[in-house]
Each structure stands twice: as structure tokens, then as C-alpha cells.
Amino acid sequence: MPKRGKILILVSPSGGGKSTMTQRLLNDFEEIRFSVSATTRKPRKGEIDGVHYYFISKDEFRERIKNNEFLEWEEFYNGTFYGTLRSVVENDLNKGYFILLDIDVLGAKNVKEIYGDEALAIFISPPSLDVLKERLKKRGTESDQTMKTRLDRAEKEMAYASQFDTVVVNNDLDTAYSKIKQKVSTFITS
Ligand code: ADP
Ligand code: 5GP
């Protein structure tokens, strides 16, 4: 049996930089695997089922809740569900991998509560809400309505930053990434 792996959680409001940092970490550490969540939202351009998310229907999502298949799940905005699959995380942990979760503030708090010291939760903070708005606009993935919902939510989520193991401000991308990489490296080798 290999030594059990650990959990890495990147947490931030939507647009904070989780996907960007996730890509870099996956490129730099071959022992890290991405935890593919399930969601009922529609795929964005370039997103692949089973790679970025498992894109499933609301009925299937509800069925999986009933079957206790989620470590944690949430309904975000009107009928859009996201959830971390217990089997994905546990299978990889038991194989000795470090499993990386890109989830929101409440989900991260729940996972941290379950796994305690087996998990490192890094809060990625945008330099300001104005910058966050600009980045989301530039990303170009949101309608006016989902943009507003995400920004309203972001304001509340920022208040939780200090409850995580560590906070990294994502101002200059390379600087922020090198801080995250350092923290991840220390955690993995400890
Ligand atoms: P999340 O996964 O948390 O929603 P993303 O990683 O998609 O956030 O980042 C949101 C947008 O901001 C993306 O278009 C990304 O390229 C951009 N971005 C991320 N970090 C920075 C940064 N430090 N400087 C400028 N743009 C950034
Ligand atoms: P997006 O629609 O931009 O991919 O994700 C919206 C938000 O949902 C992001 O903050 C993302 O981290 C979060 N998210 C993605 N997967 C999960 C999950 O499995 N559980 C929870 N709680 N949040 C998730």
C-alpha cells in the first residue's frame, strides 16, 4: 500500500485565479491530481467533460446527493449545483496522490473540517474587488446576470480569507504563483 496522499485546496471568489494556479501546479508537480467536480452548469468553450468537470443534469445531481456520493456540495445560483465527489478524492488519496480541489469558500471550509491536517487550504485573494471585476470581464465568460451574482458573492467570500491556513494575494501572477508553489512544496514534503 502506498503512503496515503494529502489534499490541497485552492479557494477564492470566482475570478480569483484558482484555475490559473491549478494549471501551473499540475504542470509543475506530477504527484498532484486534480479533483474533477460535478456541476449542472453548461460547459464553457474549451471545457471538457471528465477533465474540467463532470457536466451532469440536475436530476442526476440530485440522485447522487441521495446516494451520498458527495463529500460536499452546494447550490450556487438558481439551480446551479457543484459538488466534490467522494470517490474521486478517496481513490487518489489511497493511491498516494496529492489531490487538488478548486472550490469555493464554503466547500473549502467543509472539506477542511473533514480532513483537518490532511488538507492545506490556500485562500487566493484578488488585490481588490475592482480588479476582480476587471478580470472576470476580460475572461468574458459571464452574462450580466451571472457577473452580478458572482461579484455579490465575492464580496461576502472575501471576509472568510483569514479562516484558511494561508492567504496569497494574486496581484502579479508570477509572484503569487511562486508563493503558492513554495507552500505546496513544503506541505507535500512534510
Ligand atoms: P477562477 O478559477 O478563480 O475563477 P481564473 O483562474 O479563471 O479564476 O482567473 C480569472 C481571470 O483572471 C482569468 O482570465 C485569468 O487569466 C486572469 N488572471 C488570473 N490571475 C491574474 C493575475 N495575477 N493578473 C492578471 N490576470 C489574472
Ligand atoms: P465556475 O463556474 O467558475 O467553474 O465555478 C464557480 C465556483 O464554484 C468557483 O468558485 C469554483 O471554485 C466553485 N466550485 C467548483 N467545483 C466545486 C465543488 O465541487 N464544490 C464547491 N463547493 N464549489 C465548487
Side-chain angles (χ1 to χ4, degrees):
M1 265 294 256
K3 190 167 171 256
R4 189 170 154 88
K6 292 191 213 174
I7 295 186
L8 299 160
I9 309 170
L10 294 184
V11 48
S12 80
S14 180
K18 295 177 298 289
S19 310
T20 308
M21 301 302 182
T22 294
Q23 275 322 312
R24 289 193 172 201
L25 287 171
L26 291 173
N27 282 339
D28 284 349
F29 295 90
E30 61 180 18
E31 60 274 59
I32 297 180
R33 292 277 185 101
F34 181 61
S35 162
V36 181
S37 292
T39 185
T40 62
R41 86 149 161 74
K42 297 274 169 287
R44 290 181 192 134
K45 199 164 171 270
E47 282 183 333
I48 300 163
D49 187 42
V51 174
H52 299 95
Y53 283 104
Y54 293 106
F55 295 100
I56 63 176
S57 68
K58 282 181 204 165
D59 283 347
E60 184 176 346
F61 203 101
R62 290 200 186 95
E63 191 59 32
R64 285 174 180 249
I65 294 173
K66 242 199 268 165
N67 295 338
N68 196 25
E69 289 180 45
F70 292 110
L71 265 180
E72 62 76 38
W73 62 270
E74 273 181 75
E75 182 174 3
F76 269 55
Y77 11 90
N78 45 21
T80 310
F81 292 84
Y82 293 83
T84 308
L85 290 159
R86 195 185 297 281
S87 58
V88 168
V89 171
E90 280 297 323
N91 286 346
D92 276 347
L93 283 180
N94 289 332
K95 284 184 199 147
Y97 286 110
F98 294 84
I99 177 116
L100 179 60
L101 274 59
D102 164 344
I103 59 179
D104 85 311
V105 170
L106 286 179
K109 276 167 64 87
N110 289 333
V111 173
K112 184 68 193 172
E113 235 169 77
I114 299 169
Y115 286 97
D117 288 345
E118 265 197 305
L120 174 72
I122 302 177
F123 188 93
I124 305 173
S125 176
S128 68
L129 284 171
D130 283 343
V131 172
L132 182 73
K133 190 175 174 182
E134 280 316 304
R135 287 183 185 166
L136 273 174
K137 263 196 200 155
K138 249 197 198 156
R139 192 171 75 183
T141 50
E142 308 307 320
S143 65
D144 286 354
Q145 185 50 45
T146 61
M147 175 73 99
K148 183 171 177 342
T149 319
R150 280 168 193 252
L151 289 172
D152 287 348
R153 202 183 161 95
E155 202 166 343
K156 298 190 190 100
E157 289 176 332
M158 292 293 284
Y160 288 93
S162 62
Q163 297 188 22
F164 294 98
D165 295 314
T166 182
V167 179
V168 173
V169 178
N170 183 13
N171 197 352
D172 172 68
L173 183 57
D174 289 338
T175 309
Y177 177 65
S178 73
K179 285 185 188 154
I180 290 174
K181 188 176 175 186
Q182 182 58 49
K183 288 173 199 293
V184 166
S185 197
T186 306
F187 180 66
I188 282 182
T189 49
S190 67

